Amino acid sequence: MINEIPIWRIKYLPYNLDQICGREQLRNRLKGIIEKANFPHMLFVGTEGIGKTTIASLFAREFLGKYYDANLKIIHANVPLTEEERAQARSDAYVSTTKIGSIAGKTVTMPAFVQVKVKPFVQVKVMDAPFKILIVKNFDALGKNQQGFRRLMETYGSNCRMILITTKISGVIDPIVSRCQVFLVPQVDLTSFGKLITSIAKKESLILDEKTIEVLYKASGGKISKAIDFLQLSTISNKTVTLNDIYISLQKFQKGIVRSLLLVIFKGDFKKAREISRNILATYKYSAQELFTYLLLELHKLPLSTNVRASVINMIAEADIRAIDGQDNDIQVSNLLSKLCLYSEYL
Amino acid sequence: MAETKAKLPWIEKYRPKSLKDMAIPSAKSSGHKVNLAEELTNFVRNFFIEIKKINEINKEIRNHNRNATEKDQKEEIRLSFEKSAILLEGKPGIGKTSIVYALANDLNMDVIETNASDTRTRDALERKLNETTKSRGIMDFAKESRQKLILIDEVDGIYGTKDRGAVPTILNLIETTQFPIILCSNEFKQGLQSLYQKIKKVEVQPLSKLEAIKIASRVLKNEKISGISSGEIEAIVEKNGGDLRAVINDLQAIAKGSDFPDVVLLNNLHRDSIEEIFSLIRELFQDVKTLKEARNLTDRSDVDYNFLYKWVSENLPSFMHVNSDLANAWENLSLADEIFGRIRKNMYWGLLPYFYDLFAGGVTLSKKESDSRKGFVRIKNPQYFSSTTLNSAEKSLLEKINRKYNIPQDELMQDFLPFLQVLSSSSRKHQKIISDWFELDTKEKKMLKSD
């Protein structure tokens, strides 16, 4: 007996381009590319969690047909290298003296990320398919290492095409953008979202009305996997999904901890606030920047006067800027917390 | 002669000349106790007997090769790794280097030493050692020419880009050597595993306390120093835990200049570096009144500033309790951090003075007089956590989940895991289904429980 997949977001993952929810225009363009069997480097831009990677990998799979296994690689630019990979990069950088050429016996400096994760893949010749496909997620996280891609995209362009994925196009350097065809991945619209949810509801024999779907759409911000998570949480007790169920599951799921951090800050308790912030960073693996963003988001939900809100945003912005140059994020976060704690005394 | 000897550091002065007047530390080789002096002497003697045989055989082979066709060429034979090199492993200062020198002295040999102070890149090592190891030189025809002993000290100090290629060079050296090689190392190192696998390892144990005291008293007697009680000698020996070199160094430090030991110095010897930081932080927050004092304090300490400001950051809230003080202090500290980042990034070393003043004086002087709480404050170690790296439990969970569902680590931790936690906490049944489906073990199941 085949075990049924207990998690709906995995169960209802699309397995080809046709199954992708909505976004017909983009899908048609990609299908056209598959027919022509050729495409330039591509850059997918769109907000977080709307399915850029899913679309890109399904496209690559369909493009490569049955040869996708050896010719497709997905790498995450924001995942730090492990210690072994770093060691690997160091040893790879040394060119043996037995090799001929002016660089023999020297150390070639290359960004470790490119050295370990990208080069070995793009250098190996393509098998059976027209070319290999490399998908790089969160490309903007590479920062100045993006420069390394400029040459790679040209040198190995005939062997390997790249699909770069990013949430913010401003984070990608111009030379890279100019080498790519840019695709804007839009959010799924309400009608196709509704269709998808209804079809899931049919399969799981759920009962839910239009209004609920609309709330689900808004609550998840158009992110399908999140919406499906909410839906599953709401149906734990019974098969009829009401608005109330959605709200309850929303509450369970919300990152209450960031809000509680803000509340502690407004009480002026610095020590506690520092403890909570460290706890958040450790459990959710946020970078300091991400924590600042979530604080900002949460701040908009709190009932504050315009003046207060503006000054708090000012402080968060200041801390964020310092964290860019600073060495120790912990210090920058603590700085923000102490300022906010002081400010709360005047409220 | 006597004068030059007086200037020598005591550790050199009292380095044993012969195995006979040395306290031989006990040693273990592959689990068995061995006599280190005997072991080493036998090793060197056997080496020369074997290498002589091998050289003769090789000579014949070479002769044969010269006349033979390409097909009949024979390979020259080589001495096995175990017979040409031996590794002494033990804590620092227990006499590994000394025993090698004493042995060489006894056998009338020269020691060629390379240690961590030399750069040990492939080139440097080859230059220094290969000449001596491969060829026996013109002088070898003269019978009196002294044999050589090669000592590669502080093998575990080989690492990093500076010493690139050293391990293969050493292996190659061991293969082709004409002289016995002794390697010394303090600890096991992963990077040197290829070396460890091939050669014989002897673990050297520290000297017993009794023996160390005996040696220390002998040194003091020789230097005509009285006034250090046996209890104090014992304290010094205890503190250094079998490190004889450190014991003798300490003795010299407290006896320096006069016949009477400096009691203050003796007390200072017990202070180690962590305690130094503790007292520094305390002084910085509790005693410093002016910017100049703060600057003096940080200048005087040996603690790396790069490290010190993290201690300041960690302990700041323990010393300040008023929000306005805290805000001022953090303002200065975060600016210091920003400056430090810019210095590192762009090499603006001219900014360094600001960094110093901001993180030490700037921070501690933010404290107002009114809020001086009395009492003992515990100093905390800085928490070095990197928010982006996973711990082992998280790693194994990620691996298990990735078998079924491809998700990067940040999405897992921020999005998917919280969802799984809520879902599995809703009922036992769900928890069982989820953990069964992902094939989680008990440790990973625990992570599904939200806190």
Side-chain angles (χ1 to χ4, degrees):
Chain A
M1 192 193 107
I2 302 163
N3 244 341
E4 195 175 333
I5 302 168
I7 291 151
W8 289 1
R9 73 145 86 180
I10 305 177
K11 193 174 176 182
Y12 295 106
L13 271 181
Y15 49 83
N16 61 32
L17 272 182
D18 288 320
Q19 294 217 335
I20 284 172
C21 176
R23 289 164 285 197
E24 282 82 12
Q25 224 180 348
L26 180 71
R27 258 165 37 195
N28 289 337
R29 263 174 87 188
L30 292 176
K31 274 187 189 161
I33 289 172
I34 293 174
E35 264 165 41
K36 274 184 257 161
N38 192 6
F39 67 93
H41 296 302
M42 296 198 284
L43 181 65
F44 279 22
V45 187
T47 47
E48 193 194 324
I50 55 168
K52 298 182 296 298
T53 315
T54 316
I55 293 175
S57 56
L58 285 178
F59 162 74
R61 251 179 217 212
E62 255 169 67
F63 185 87
L64 295 169
K66 57 182 174 179
Y67 306 114
Y68 84 90
D69 219 14
N71 293 320
L72 173 66
K73 189 179 181 186
I74 303 179
I75 51 180
H76 303 278
N78 57 341
V79 176
L81 294 180
T82 60
E83 201 42 58
E84 294 96 69
E85 283 170 334
R86 268 174 214 287
Q88 176 71 32
R90 277 197 293 272
S91 69
D92 281 358
Y94 179 75
V95 179
S96 160
T97 40
T98 56
K99 289 221 171 119
I100 303 167
S102 57
I103 54 165
K106 284 182 189 155
T107 306
V108 181
T109 46
M110 244 283 172
F113 177 83
V114 177
Q115 188 75 46
V116 178
K117 292 203 164 166
V118 184
K119 266 202 147 179
F121 179 75
V122 297
Q123 279 176 337
V124 176
K125 262 260 166 269
V126 58
M127 298 279 286
D128 305 316
F131 35 71
K132 293 180 145 189
I133 297 178
L134 176 74
I135 298 178
V136 186
K137 254 195 106 170
N138 293 349
F139 188 74
D140 50 295
L142 275 181
K144 61 181 180 194
N145 282 355
Q146 290 177 17
Q147 299 285 358
F149 271 81
R150 291 170 63 172
R151 289 296 301 150
L152 284 179
M153 289 171 94
E154 277 169 3
T155 324
Y156 301 106
S158 57
N159 187 38
C160 176
R161 297 292 150 85
M162 299 189 191
I163 302 177
L164 311 176
I165 294 172
T166 180
T167 47
K168 40 184 179 190
I169 197 164
S170 59
V172 182
I173 57 172
D174 285 345
I176 298 283
V177 178
S178 87
R179 278 170 178 79
C180 295
Q181 187 175 4
V182 180
F183 283 84
L184 292 175
V185 180
Q187 220 174 53
V188 66
D189 55 304
L190 182 56
T191 21
S192 14
F193 180 82
K195 266 184 212 157
L196 178 79
I197 296 295
T198 338
S199 78
I200 291 176
K202 215 177 198 176
K203 277 176 204 153
E204 298 289 337
S205 52
L206 305 175
I207 302 152
L208 76 172
D209 54 26
E210 291 277 307
K211 192 86 197 290
T212 323
I213 291 176
E214 212 178 314
V215 171
L216 203 57
Y217 180 71
K218 273 186 191 155
S220 61
K223 296 167 192 171
I224 295 168
S225 55
K226 220 170 202 182
I228 297 178
D229 284 352
F230 286 148
L231 191 66
Q232 188 175 8
L233 283 183
S234 320
T235 55
I236 287 171
S237 46
N238 58 35
K239 296 279 180 189
T240 319
V241 183
T242 60
L243 274 182
N244 205 21
D245 289 334
I246 299 278
Y247 286 132
I248 288 171
S249 63
L250 259 175
Q251 248 168 11
K252 277 187 199 159
F253 198 57
Q254 245 166 10
K255 294 191 181 92
I257 192 155
V258 178
R259 172 170 292 213
S260 67
L261 173 65
L262 267 179
L263 292 179
V264 169
I265 286 172
F266 284 122
K267 270 183 204 151
D269 189 348
F270 173 75
K271 270 190 193 172
K272 191 87 205 280
R274 193 183 201 199
E275 205 177 286
I276 294 177
S277 77
R278 282 182 165 181
N279 194 3
I280 292 175
L281 290 179
T283 34
Y284 292 106
K285 308 291 166 201
Y286 289 148
S287 65
Q289 267 81 9
E290 277 169 315
L291 180 67
F292 294 146
T293 319
Y294 283 112
L295 276 177
L296 204 61
L297 281 177
E298 210 52 48
L299 189 72
H300 288 301
K301 292 178 194 160
L302 288 183
L304 296 170
S305 74
T306 323
N307 282 342
V308 174
R309 196 165 288 177
S311 10
V312 174
I313 291 174
N314 189 331
M315 287 176 210
I316 296 179
E318 180 82 10
D320 206 347
I321 290 173
R322 281 203 178 161
I324 291 173
D325 272 337
Q327 287 271 305
D328 191 336
N329 281 337
D330 186 47
I331 289 180
Q332 302 303 342
V333 173
S334 301
N335 176 33
L336 175 66
L337 298 182
S338 74
K339 292 247 176 71
L340 289 174
C341 285
L342 176 64
Y343 185 70
S344 71
E345 286 184 359
Y346 297 105
L347 289 182
Chain B
M1 180 69 195
E3 229 171 71
T4 51
K5 226 180 174 183
K7 277 182 190 162
L8 278 178
W10 287 5
I11 40 159
E12 290 305 324
K13 194 170 164 187
Y14 292 101
R15 205 179 267 276
K17 299 291 171 304
S18 163
L19 289 177
K20 274 176 220 130
D21 42 80
M22 185 177 175
I24 309 283
S26 58
K28 259 188 194 170
S29 172
S30 52
H32 299 292
K33 243 188 174 166
V34 290
N35 183 330
L36 191 58
E38 241 172 61
E39 182 85 18
L40 286 176
T41 322
N42 286 341
F43 159 72
V44 173
R45 290 225 168 97
N46 282 340
F47 176 86
F48 282 114
I49 296 169
E50 299 266 340
I51 201 86
K52 205 174 166 193
K53 276 187 213 159
I54 280 184
N55 280 339
E56 270 162 21
I57 295 170
N58 278 346
K59 213 174 182 180
E60 274 172 31
I61 291 175
R62 245 171 287 162
N63 276 337
H64 168 88
N65 280 354
R66 214 170 287 149
N67 302 326
T69 52
E70 209 164 298
K71 263 188 196 166
D72 297 335
Q73 293 278 339
K74 281 185 193 167
E75 282 223 8
E76 294 186 19
I77 54 166
R78 278 169 174 167
L79 199 55
S80 69
F81 276 94
E82 276 141 61
K83 282 181 178 160
S84 50
I86 195 164
L87 173 74
L88 303 182
E89 192 178 286
K91 287 188 182 141
I94 55 173
K96 297 186 298 294
T97 314
S98 294
I99 200 168
V100 174
Y101 273 93
L103 174 78
N105 211 6
D106 281 357
L107 298 176
N108 196 24
M109 296 164 81
D110 282 330
V111 177
I112 298 167
E113 186 190 337
T114 157
N115 55 38
S117 61
D118 309 323
T119 5
R120 289 184 286 198
T121 53
R122 174 150 60 189
D123 292 349
L125 266 180
E126 271 172 6
R127 221 177 302 125
K128 184 156 187 179
L129 297 176
N130 269 4
E131 288 311 311
T132 42
T133 50
K134 269 189 197 150
S135 64
R136 291 168 60 95
I138 323 166
M139 287 302 287
D140 294 338
F141 296 109
K143 267 201 169 167
E144 299 90 315
S145 88
R146 278 155 71 96
Q147 296 281 24
K148 287 166 189 142
L149 179 66
I150 296 172
L151 169 64
I152 305 179
D153 210 351
E154 298 157 14
V155 180
D156 48 341
I158 292 180
Y159 73 104
T161 45
K162 262 209 228 141
D163 292 342
R164 198 184 291 284
V167 176
T169 316
I170 291 175
L171 282 174
N172 191 14
L173 190 80
I174 293 171
E175 229 178 351
T176 56
T177 183
Q178 289 291 327
F179 299 104
I181 298 177
I182 298 178
L183 302 106
C184 293
S185 158
N186 288 147
E187 53 185 13
F188 179 83
K189 254 214 172 143
Q190 200 65 35
L192 301 174
Q193 211 166 24
S194 52
L195 203 64
Y196 292 131
Q197 280 167 355
K198 287 185 176 153
I199 58 181
K200 188 175 181 182
K201 190 168 93 175
V202 177
E203 284 168 42
V204 186
Q205 252 92 41
L207 282 176
S208 69
K209 212 165 84 182
L210 220 64
E211 218 140 1
I213 293 173
K214 222 156 74 188
I215 294 170
S217 338
R218 206 171 66 205
V219 169
L220 287 175
K221 203 175 155 197
N222 220 344
E223 292 288 331
K224 300 196 181 72
I225 287 164
S226 50
I228 299 184
S229 69
S230 56
E232 279 163 338
I233 296 176
E234 208 180 322
I236 293 174
V237 169
E238 191 118 300
K239 170 198 152 224
N240 289 308
D243 185 345
L244 197 59
R245 176 168 48 205
V247 170
I248 295 180
N249 273 336
D250 281 359
L251 286 179
Q252 188 174 16
I254 59 175
K256 210 163 115 195
S258 69
D259 294 349
F260 298 101
D262 189 338
V263 184
V264 180
L265 255 167
L266 186 71
N267 288 334
N268 277 359
L269 284 174
H270 296 281
R271 199 171 75 173
D272 61 309
S273 59
I274 288 292
E275 272 178 40
E276 193 190 334
I277 298 177
F278 277 15
S279 68
L280 183 79
I281 296 285
R282 258 197 206 111
E283 231 175 295
L284 200 60
F285 279 107
Q286 288 177 334
D287 302 337
V288 166
K289 294 282 180 294
T290 64
L291 205 57
K292 206 172 175 190
E293 276 176 28
R295 188 64 184 272
N296 279 343
L297 197 65
T298 48
D299 279 356
R300 214 165 7 119
S301 81
D302 303 329
V303 185
D304 192 357
Y305 53 81
N306 178 347
F307 184 61
L308 190 59
Y309 87 101
K310 301 210 167 160
W311 282 80
V312 172
S313 146
E314 184 66 41
N315 290 293
L316 217 164
S318 326
F319 288 96
M320 294 187 196
H321 308 281
V322 178
N323 275 338
S324 59
D325 289 359
L326 277 170
N328 283 335
W330 282 112
E331 165 67 29
N332 285 333
L333 191 59
S334 82
L335 186 60
D337 180 51
E338 190 190 351
I339 289 174
F340 190 55
R342 291 202 183 186
I343 294 173
R344 293 279 290 267
K345 218 172 273 171
N346 306 320
M347 302 288 136
Y348 292 153
W349 292 101
L351 297 175
L352 204 57
Y354 303 118
F355 169 71
Y356 273 121
D357 280 341
L358 281 171
F359 92 78
V363 169
T364 55
L365 296 178
S366 305
K367 189 176 167 181
K368 295 282 174 310
E369 209 60 45
S370 59
D371 170 54
S372 54
R373 291 191 196 182
K374 289 273 166 347
F376 182 77
V377 181
R378 247 189 83 193
I379 307 285
K380 283 181 251 166
N381 288 27
Q383 295 182 352
Y384 297 106
F385 66 84
S386 155
S387 60
T388 47
T389 45
L390 303 179
N391 61 31
S392 61
E394 290 164 347
K395 235 181 233 166
S396 70
L397 184 73
L398 175 71
E399 215 171 86
K400 287 261 172 77
I401 287 182
N402 264 342
R403 280 183 209 159
K404 304 266 170 155
Y405 178 43
N406 204 340
I407 186 168
Q409 69 171 53
D410 54 337
E411 272 175 47
L412 171 71
M413 296 309 293
Q414 293 168 15
D415 235 37
F416 193 50
L417 190 58
F419 163 70
L420 285 186
Q421 283 169 347
V422 175
L423 189 64
S424 65
S425 65
S426 63
S427 76
R428 277 269 168 79
K429 199 181 114 208
H430 275 99
Q431 192 186 345
K432 194 178 176 321
I433 291 173
I434 292 170
S435 49
D436 282 355
W437 196 66
F438 284 119
E439 294 158 19
L440 305 180
D441 59 27
T442 24
K443 208 175 159 192
E444 291 146 359
K445 266 185 215 166
K446 245 183 212 161
M447 293 195 60
L448 289 185
K449 284 185 190 136
S450 59
D451 29 31

